[in-house]
Amino acid sequence: MASEPAMSDAIKTPRRSQAERTAAMRARLIDAAVACLNRLGYSATTLATIAEAAGVSRGGMLHQFPSKVDLMLAVVAFASGYDERPQAPRALNDDGDKRAQFIAQTDNVWRAQTTPAVMAKLEIMVAARSDPQLAAQLPAMFNAIEARRRTFMVAFAREIGVEDSDAVESMVTLHMAAMRGLSIEMLLTDDPARIERAYDLLKRYKEDLVDRLMAEAEAQRARA
């Protein structure tokens, strides 16, 4: 009589493809890099420390990321996928408060600023001042990310009737610079409530500007 199949034979884990294994390895290394950047800072974060933190061989890491700059750029791309990945502007519900949905985008970005990945991204941005190789490559990625952010917000603003693209782009630039600065100060302060109050003030400025832009757009439509 044939023996019963072993449980391990009956239930087999599907074998991952090479692409899936590569993606998993890259994600593991990026997670380790984020942890090292937040714990050690940019200068002390080396390929060796990242490989050790990830539990992979140096050769395995170099197969995915041949240089430290390659890995740092991957961290920036990863962090940007959480707080800055471009999306098609969603259709806003006519029964909802479109203005509130637009303003809420500010809170979404602010919450993302204090996540480990985005804090690691800020560490990399500051480090570009003293790392020539990083400085040569990071600006192009950063500018592309910011351009996509502005495009997204301009389209979003049109959903609430605001057509002044220049004003919206300037608002986005100002708010992102301010939030990054507040995020860095959050690392140093012993009074986080003060930073939150400063952010609340920044948000009120945005609300005032949005209200003015909406009123101006409505007045222009009324005159047309």
Side-chain angles (χ1 to χ4, degrees), residues 90-221:
R90 53 193 175 127
L92 300 182
N93 189 331
D94 289 337
D95 296 330
D97 186 340
K98 293 183 178 182
R99 175 189 175 279
Q101 293 177 61
F102 185 81
I103 295 296
Q105 187 70 11
T106 309
D107 287 332
N108 294 338
V109 175
W110 175 240
R111 283 193 295 270
Q113 291 301 306
T114 56
T115 61
V118 177
M119 295 307 295
K121 175 183 172 180
L122 291 175
E123 182 78 24
I124 294 168
M125 290 171 62
V126 173
R129 294 187 59 190
S130 57
D131 186 324
Q133 290 182 316
L134 184 61
Q137 297 184 58
L138 180 60
M141 175 180 283
F142 174 80
N143 289 330
I145 289 168
E146 291 304 300
R148 289 195 297 268
R149 182 200 298 279
R150 292 191 298 271
T151 298
F152 170 70
M153 290 304 294
V154 165
F156 203 164
R158 292 196 181 104
E159 292 284 343
I160 62 173
V162 174
E163 298 290 342
D164 190 341
S165 299
D166 289 342
V168 173
E169 289 191 355
S170 295
M171 177 188 72
V172 172
T173 299
L174 173 62
H175 280 84
M176 285 309 305
M179 283 191 278
R180 290 188 185 104
L182 289 174
S183 298
I184 292 172
E185 188 161 349
M186 184 74 85
L187 293 173
L188 305 173
T189 186
D190 58 358
D191 185 7
R194 178 174 59 84
I195 305 301
E196 289 294 338
R197 290 194 299 271
Y199 166 71
D200 288 341
L201 179 59
L202 180 69
K203 185 178 175 181
R204 287 201 298 273
Y205 286 150
K206 176 177 180 177
E207 291 174 338
D208 291 343
L209 175 60
V210 169
D211 287 342
R212 180 171 65 80
L213 292 174
M214 291 178 69
E216 290 175 354
E218 183 62 31
Q220 288 178 351
R221 287 190 289 271

Side-chain angles (χ1 to χ4, degrees), residues 36-58:
C36 289
L37 285 164
N38 280 290
R39 187 176 76 252
L40 305 172
Y42 184 85
S43 296
T45 295
T46 65
L47 290 179
T49 59
I50 295 169
E52 182 179 359
V56 303
S57 68
R58 182 177 174 85

